[in-house]
Amino acid sequence: MGNYLIFFGPSIIRDARHRRDVTTRRRRFEMQTREAEVEALHRCAICGATEVSDPNLEFRVARNGEEYCIPHLSQAKAAT
Ligand SMILES: [Zn+2]
């Protein structure tokens, strides 16, 4: 167990530092996206998410002409 800590200790510290950097970067990114939200091309008609507020989200236009994120696309189909 002692050897384990010596071997993995430095990388755990590095991970913790990295995680903090990511959090800082993400916070900065969120501030930028809030300003850029008006420029979003896609917006979910149900939850209002955009490709700017949720960069990992994909959007599709349903048959009713409205745009939805993938999680809500099925609800859009059910409604028509
Ligand atoms: Zn949605």
Side-chain angles (χ1 to χ4, degrees):
M1 195 54 196
N3 285 338
Y4 177 89
L5 283 176
I6 288 161
F7 189 78
F8 288 102
S11 74
I12 288 168
I13 291 164
R14 209 183 309 133
D15 278 3
R17 274 192 198 137
H18 178 69
R19 215 164 292 146
R20 197 188 53 198
D21 285 353
V22 168
T23 308
T24 310
R25 220 172 296 149
R26 193 174 299 156
R27 208 166 290 153
R28 204 175 300 149
F29 177 74
E30 278 169 8
M31 280 170 66
Q32 287 172 353
T33 55
R34 215 162 292 148
E35 290 167 14
E37 203 157 16
V38 187
E39 295 170 30
L41 294 170
H42 307 286
R43 185 181 295 272
C44 174
I46 292 178
C47 67
T50 68
E51 88 278 12
V52 177
S53 69
D54 294 84
N56 296 322
L57 221 49
E58 284 186 53
F59 295 86
R60 295 280 185 277
V61 177
R63 280 180 189 171
N64 62 10
E66 297 274 19
E67 209 161 15
Y68 299 93
C69 66
I70 295 300
H72 287 130
L73 187 62
S74 56
Q75 291 182 31
K77 278 175 183 165
T80 45

